[in-house]
Amino acid sequence: ILFQIFDAFKARLHDSNSKVNQVALETMHKMIPLLKDNLSPVINMLIPAMVDNNLNSKNPGIYAAATNVIQALCQHLDNYLLLQPFCTKAQFLNGKAKQDMTEKLA
């Protein structure tokens, strides 16, 4: 059931409506401390959805929400769960997002 919930939620993280996108990121930020390592089955699906467009967003609210989500992931999940998806994102992103992900890896 976790996959079904987050598969539907993932679409909101890419929503073309910036307000919906921002609220989805802010909601994800609130859920991470509650779910913690229980997110491990869906983390490889969620990180690209949270990072891809959001860390390079020119909308300051979306960018701030995305960086807050990444910070919450680093605080509440075991680092070994984040290493592979963060490495993949750092390798293939560009611009500000690549810099942000590289700093989190370091």
Side-chain angles (χ1 to χ4, degrees):
I1 192 158
L2 193 66
F3 282 103
Q4 293 170 330
I5 291 169
F6 281 101
D7 196 41
F9 186 75
K10 178 179 73 168
R12 301 296 61 89
L13 294 166
H14 285 296
D15 203 282
S16 60
N17 182 325
S18 62
K19 291 179 183 176
V20 172
N21 191 357
Q22 185 173 340
V23 169
L25 287 164
E26 291 167 353
T27 302
M28 191 71 224
H29 180 252
K30 293 174 186 173
M31 289 190 302
I32 291 168
L34 301 173
L35 296 174
K36 297 182 182 178
D37 290 336
N38 292 320
L39 287 172
S40 63
V42 294
I43 203 70
N44 288 327
M45 167 180 50
L46 285 177
I47 288 178
M50 291 182 279
V51 168
D52 284 352
N53 297 324
N54 300 319
L55 278 182
N56 273 330
S57 178
K58 296 195 185 330
N59 180 319
I62 290 175
Y63 175 75
T67 56
N68 287 340
V69 166
I70 298 301
Q71 185 63 35
L73 287 170
C74 293
Q75 288 176 334
H76 297 286
L77 273 72
D78 281 338
N79 288 338
Y80 78 91
L81 292 173
L82 302 174
L83 185 60
Q84 182 61 46
F86 277 20
C87 283
T88 302
K89 288 288 105 192
Q91 184 178 7
F92 294 108
L93 288 172
N94 55 25
K96 189 168 38 169
K98 184 177 190 96
Q99 180 181 347
D100 290 343
M101 292 308 295
T102 303
E103 287 174 7
K104 287 297 175 195
L105 279 167

